[in-house]
Amino acid sequence: MMLSTVRNPERLVGDAVRRLVEERPPEATPRTEFLAARFDAGLAWIQFPPGLGGLGLNPRLQGIADLVVQEAGGPDPFELN
């Protein structure tokens, strides 16, 4: 089953971000460890399949994940680029 058939994908993304931040508080987690956990949670590239950094959802939801992670103090994965 593709996750894109989820009834409330926004809630799925929000819940995944909240779990990530609870399990790996940004202020107490090394940057690379936090980013790896973000990938594992499927929040790196929302549109990619599960296990490959995503949740199989519409890419427009990436902004929700990025905003909530940023508001929680999470590192910007692109600041080194």
Side-chain angles (χ1 to χ4, degrees), residues 13-72:
V13 171
D15 290 347
V17 172
R18 280 187 283 284
R19 270 192 313 277
L20 169 66
V21 170
E22 287 173 5
E23 293 172 4
R24 304 278 189 195
E27 68 280 354
T29 305
R31 183 181 198 287
T32 55
E33 186 179 321
F34 184 88
L35 293 174
R38 182 177 176 168
F39 180 93
D40 292 343
L43 299 168
W45 301 290
I46 294 291
Q47 73 275 13
F48 281 35
L52 297 176
L55 295 171
L57 299 173
N58 188 313
R60 71 178 176 77
L61 297 171
Q62 187 67 54
I64 294 171
D66 294 345
L67 180 64
V68 178
V69 168
Q70 185 179 32
E71 288 177 348

